[in-house]
Amino acid sequence: MFDLEELQRTGAVRLPHLALPLLSAIEAVTRDLPAERAGLRLNGQPGLRPLLDHRSLIGQAACHALGADAQPVRALLFDKSERTNWALGWHQDRTICVAEKMETPGFGPWTIKQGMLHVSPPESILRDMVTLRIHLDAVPETNAPLLVASGSHRLGRIPEAQVAAIVEQSKILTCLAERGDVWLYSTLILHASDSATQPMHRRVLQVDYSALALPHGLEWAGV
């Protein structure tokens, strides 16, 4: 399906047209959700999980990266447009979404985002996750493509004070996309997004996957 060595080396791979057969179904599921949001967290959305689980084309890509137990554990819908033309600085995704708060060694701090419970887990959890970005719209150079710092996923959790220097030293991949393309990357990779120079709708369904069971009774919130 894709080269696992390339994923390990760079931290990100493009899967051209992988989601194209599923776009109509994804758009039907998300059609009535609030539009033009910087990141709408999805949970319990009817019809979404079958489009993302291990039987789907998207889920199969996650299983290729993580193994047969890979499951979708968090989903966000981004809708950038001329009216919501935000920029996002360089950062790592460092939290996971769980069903219930249970004090667990190595997990914390805890936060609530859009009514959903998030926690910062041990690095080992994040290191064994991948994120898939499903492009519902084309993303040319002018429409704020995702930028990733190649290889930065291998550095673990990066202190904020070191982010700028690591980005400066890294090869930057510009994640251009056609409608239906999927970008799969290590969840820990440093990434950013500029404002669009010629803004138009840039809808992206972003899904985190893990093949791990959480310890001490913690459970993924899932999708």
Side-chain angles (χ1 to χ4, degrees), residues 107-128:
F107 286 74
W110 297 79
T111 55
I112 301 292
K113 301 178 181 180
Q114 295 179 12
M116 298 174 65
L117 186 62
H118 289 68
V119 64
S120 179
E123 182 184 311
S124 58
I125 300 288
L126 297 170
R127 191 166 55 237
D128 289 332

Side-chain angles (χ1 to χ4, degrees), residues 69 77-78 81 100 142 167 169 201:
D69 292 331
L77 182 65
F78 295 94
S81 70
E100 183 180 354
T142 56
V167 169
Q169 297 164 10
H201 270 294

Side-chain angles (χ1 to χ4, degrees), residues 78 131-135 139 144-146 175 181-185 191 193 202 204-207:
F78 295 94
T131 298
L132 279 73
R133 286 173 63 89
I134 303 153
H135 289 272
V139 186
L146 188 75
C175 299
D181 285 359
V182 174
W183 273 93
L184 183 153
Y185 60 87
H191 57 285
S193 178
R202 195 210 65 173
V204 175
L205 178 61
Q206 179 172 302
V207 188

Side-chain angles (χ1 to χ4, degrees), residues 70-216:
Q71 60 174 324
V73 295
R74 178 171 61 176
L76 299 93
L77 182 65
F78 295 94
D79 188 2
K80 185 179 284 192
S81 70
E82 186 173 1
R83 290 190 293 179
T84 56
N85 188 19
W86 71 86
L88 193 61
W90 287 99
H91 69 286
Q92 292 175 300
D93 292 336
R94 299 187 178 195
T95 62
I96 60 173
C97 190
V98 297
E100 183 180 354
K101 184 174 182 178
M102 302 182 70
E103 295 295 348
T104 304
F107 286 74
W110 297 79
T111 55
I112 301 292
K113 301 178 181 180
Q114 295 179 12
M116 298 174 65
L117 186 62
H118 289 68
V119 64
S120 179
E123 182 184 311
S124 58
I125 300 288
L126 297 170
R127 191 166 55 237
D128 289 332
M129 293 175 64
V130 294
T131 298
L132 279 73
R133 286 173 63 89
I134 303 153
H135 289 272
L136 281 65
D137 299 299
V139 186
E141 188 84 43
T142 56
N143 199 24
L146 188 75
L147 307 172
V148 299
S150 178
S152 59
H153 63 297
R154 299 196 301 267
L155 302 177
R157 271 203 182 95
I158 300 170
E160 292 294 330
Q162 297 179 18
V163 167
I166 291 171
V167 169
E168 182 67 26
Q169 297 164 10
S170 300
K171 178 181 178 182
I172 304 304
L173 302 179
T174 301
C175 299
L176 305 179
E178 298 294 332
R179 175 173 159 83
D181 285 359
V182 174
W183 273 93
L184 183 153
Y185 60 87
S186 171
T187 300
L188 262 181
I189 205 164
L190 280 171
H191 57 285
S193 178
D194 295 328
S195 299
T197 56
Q198 296 179 22
M200 55 185 179
H201 270 294
R202 195 210 65 173
R203 296 169 299 160
V204 175
L205 178 61
Q206 179 172 302
V207 188
D208 293 339
Y209 283 83
S210 175
L212 301 176
L214 296 175
H216 301 289

